Amino acid sequence: MIMPNKPSRFLLLAVAGFTLSTSLSAGPAPWYIWRSKIDGARVCHQTPLGPGWEEESGPYKDSHCEKLVRAQ
């Protein structure tokens, strides 16, 4: 069995630590109101629903699209 030497073990730990720290600081995706191009229906969703939908307003903090995200 080949044991990694100390520099490569340190590098592996450093990369793992960096990866974990960046993923822990990520926040939830914002919500948007999407409007149907066909009938004007409105839906609150985090991601585009397809080519038949266009973004109407947002971003919002909540899944009811009531609390706007304030610019800082």
Side-chain angles (χ1 to χ4, degrees):
M1 180 158 117
I2 300 174
M3 296 296 291
N5 59 17
K6 288 190 187 262
S8 64
R9 190 177 313 161
F10 174 76
L11 180 61
L12 178 65
L13 288 174
V15 169
F18 177 75
T19 303
L20 287 174
S21 68
T22 56
S23 65
L24 292 177
S25 66
W31 295 81
Y32 295 90
I33 293 180
W34 299 91
R35 184 173 21 111
S36 170
K37 294 179 181 178
I38 296 172
D39 63 1
R42 297 172 65 210
V43 176
C44 183
H45 205 265
Q46 288 179 311
T47 58
L49 299 170
W53 295 84
E54 59 189 7
E55 185 181 315
E56 183 176 301
S57 64
Y60 294 91
K61 293 180 184 179
D62 63 320
S63 62
H64 299 289
C65 289
E66 295 173 349
K67 300 174 186 171
L68 272 171
V69 174
R70 302 284 179 207
Q72 295 182 6

